[in-house]
Amino acid sequence: MVLWSNEGIVTASAGLRAFRGDLLDFRDDPRQGVQDAVRHVEDGLLVVRNGLIECTGPATELLRGLPAGTPVADFRGRLLMPGFIDAHVHYVQTDVIASHGKQLLDWLNDYTFPAETAFADPGHAAFAAEFFLDELLRNGTTTAAVYPSVHPQSVQAFFSAADSRRLRMLCGKVLMDRNCPPGLRDEAESAYAESASLIERWHGRNRLLYAVTPRFAATSTERQLELAGRLLDEHPGVRMQTHIAENHAEIRWIAELFPWSSSYLDVYARFGLLRQGALFGHCIHFDDEDWARFAAAGAVAVHCPTSNLFLGSGLFNVDAARRAGARVALATDVGGGTSFSMLRTMHEAYKVAQMGGHAFDSLDAFYLATLGGARALGMEDCIGSFAAGREADFVVLDPGATTLLARRTQQVPAGNVRELLFALMMLGDDRAVQATYILGEAAIINSR
Ligand code: GUN
Ligand code: ZN
C-alpha cells in the first residue's frame, strides 16, 4: 500500500555525490523466499543525486562512470544501509526513560503524565524535540512514528523541528478526554477541530505525515473515538496510531469501560479505527480470534520489546502474528522502552522470540527496521531501500566499533551477511553508528 510519494520533494543537496562501502538493503521481505530479497554489495557505491538515490552497484564499475570531481565519501569496511525506522516512540517521554519500579498504569500516572503535562509550554516542547531528533539520528534512525502530548503546541514543536532538518516523520496530536490529569485532558469536539487544523497545516508538507493518535481506549470517550474515525474518513492518507492489549490490568479496565465490547480490539473496530495500515503498539495479549480479525483488517502490530520487558507487560508472540498473516513492525517505545537504538531493540526482540521457542532471524530483524518499517508506515515508495528514486536517508555502521564487536565480526566468514548482521544486532548500539545521512547530507557523524 502506497499512501504517499516523494514527487515534488525539494532537496537542498543539489548535485551528484557518492558513498563507497559495503551496501545492504532489501528488495522484499526475506521470509517470503523471494530470490535476491537481500541485496549485499561488497565494496559498493551508492550514488546520490539531489538527495535521491540514483543507483547502486560495485564501486570499481560505477566509479569509472562518475563525472570527474564527483565527491566520493570513503566508507570502505563499513556497512551502508537505509536509515532505521522506529514505528512507535514518544518524544515527550525522553525524560522518563529508566523510571523505576512500576507497571503500565502506575507508570503512566506516576511518571509519564506529569512529564507530558510540561509540554503545554512551547519552549519546553521545542527544546525536547531537538534533543529527541539528535538522539534518533545518533542511533541511525531517520524516520519514526512519533507520539507527542495532547497539546497542539507539542505537535507544532515536533513538526517544525523535523521539517527544519528535512526529516521524514509521522506524528499527530494525542487524543485523551478522560481518565487523565486536567492538564492533559482535551475535549472530543475541540480535539477534533485542533486535529483537523494540524492536518491542514502539516500533513504532506515536505516530508511530514500526520497520524490521528488516540492514546488508548481508556483515555478517550466513545465520542472521541468516533471523531477519530471521522478524521480518518475525512482525510485519506492520514495514518492512525494507538496502543492495545499491552497489560492485563489495562485489558480488564477496557472491559469495564466498554461493557458492550467483545474484546479490546472490538472497541477500536466499532469506531472505524481498525483499518488497513493502522499502527497498534504492543498487541501482546491477543487470542487467535483477535489475530484473525487484526490480520484481515491489514493493521500493523508494532512490537516494542524493550518496553514490554521493562514494564513487565509480557512477551509479544511474533510467530502467532505471522501465522495469522498479520503485518508486524518494530519500535523502541521510548520512554517505556529503554533505548533509542534499533540495534538494541532487535537484540531484545531476539530474546523475546527465544522465550517463545523461536529464533528471530537477523535478516528479518534488519528488514523490519528498514523496508519492513517503511511498508508498515506506507512509505516504501520514498524510503526503506536503496532502489533508484528513493530518498537518500542512510546509516553507516562500523562492524569494528567496539573491541568486542571487532573481535566477533572478524570471525564472520566473508560474505556471511546473516552472521554479520546478527553480531551487529546483538553487540551493537549507538557506538556502531558512524554516520547518519539525510537526503544525502551528513546529519550526524559520530567521532570516536
Ligand atoms: N498505553 C497508553 N499510553 C501508553 C504509553 O505512553 N506508553 C505505553 N507503553 N503504553 C501506553
Ligand atoms: Zn507507546
Side-chain angles (χ1 to χ4, degrees), residues 111-277:
Y111 297 122
T112 310
F113 288 163
E116 293 191 13
T117 306
F119 284 76
D121 171 4
H124 178 77
F127 186 69
E130 297 297 347
F131 182 93
F132 172 84
L133 291 174
D134 283 344
E135 200 61 21
L136 288 193
L137 293 167
R138 264 186 1 84
N139 282 281
T141 298
T142 50
T143 289
V146 177
Y147 285 65
S149 67
V150 72
H151 315 98
Q153 52 272 40
S154 77
V155 186
Q156 290 286 131
F158 178 75
F159 274 142
S160 301
D163 198 31
S164 55
R165 296 175 189 232
R166 303 188 307 141
L167 298 173
R168 188 164 279 292
M169 288 283 162
L170 183 64
C171 184
K173 181 191 128 50
V174 166
L175 305 171
M176 43 200 307
D177 66 346
R178 65 166 165 171
N179 295 323
C180 57
L184 280 186
R185 199 173 306 155
D186 59 17
E187 286 173 3
E189 312 289 336
S190 57
Y192 166 83
E194 285 166 352
S195 302
S197 90
L198 287 164
I199 290 169
E200 191 64 35
R201 167 128 198 228
W202 293 107
H203 182 66
R205 177 177 172 145
N206 297 322
R207 306 183 75 199
L208 307 173
L209 296 174
Y210 196 88
V212 172
T213 308
R215 178 178 211 114
F216 66 153
T219 45
S220 287
T221 58
E222 296 194 6
R223 176 68 179 152
Q224 182 160 68
L225 295 173
E226 182 190 330
L227 289 175
R230 184 184 297 176
L231 281 168
L232 292 165
D233 291 339
E234 289 170 348
H235 302 279
V238 164
R239 317 295 204 267
M240 201 292 296
Q241 57 181 352
T242 191
H243 297 85
I244 192 169
E246 177 178 4
N247 164 290
H248 289 298
E250 171 209 18
I251 294 166
R252 282 194 298 273
W253 192 25
I254 297 294
E256 284 165 24
L257 291 169
F258 303 92
W260 48 262
S261 63
S262 60
S263 70
Y264 197 157
L265 191 60
D266 191 43
V267 175
Y268 292 125
R270 166 77 69 102
F271 298 105
L273 303 176
L274 176 62
R275 52 173 71 205
Q276 179 75 21

Side-chain angles (χ1 to χ4, degrees), residues 88 90 93 104-105 107-108 112-113 116 147 215-216 219 243-244 246 250 264 282 307-308 311 313 333 336-337:
H88 179 131
H90 301 251
Q93 293 178 13
L104 178 65
L105 299 178
W107 174 82
L108 285 172
T112 310
F113 288 163
E116 293 191 13
Y147 285 65
R215 178 178 211 114
F216 66 153
T219 45
H243 297 85
I244 192 169
E246 177 178 4
E250 171 209 18
Y264 197 157
H282 308 299
S307 170
N308 298 162
L311 293 174
S313 301
D333 192 29

Side-chain angles (χ1 to χ4, degrees), residues 85 356 441:
I85 296 168
E441 298 222 351

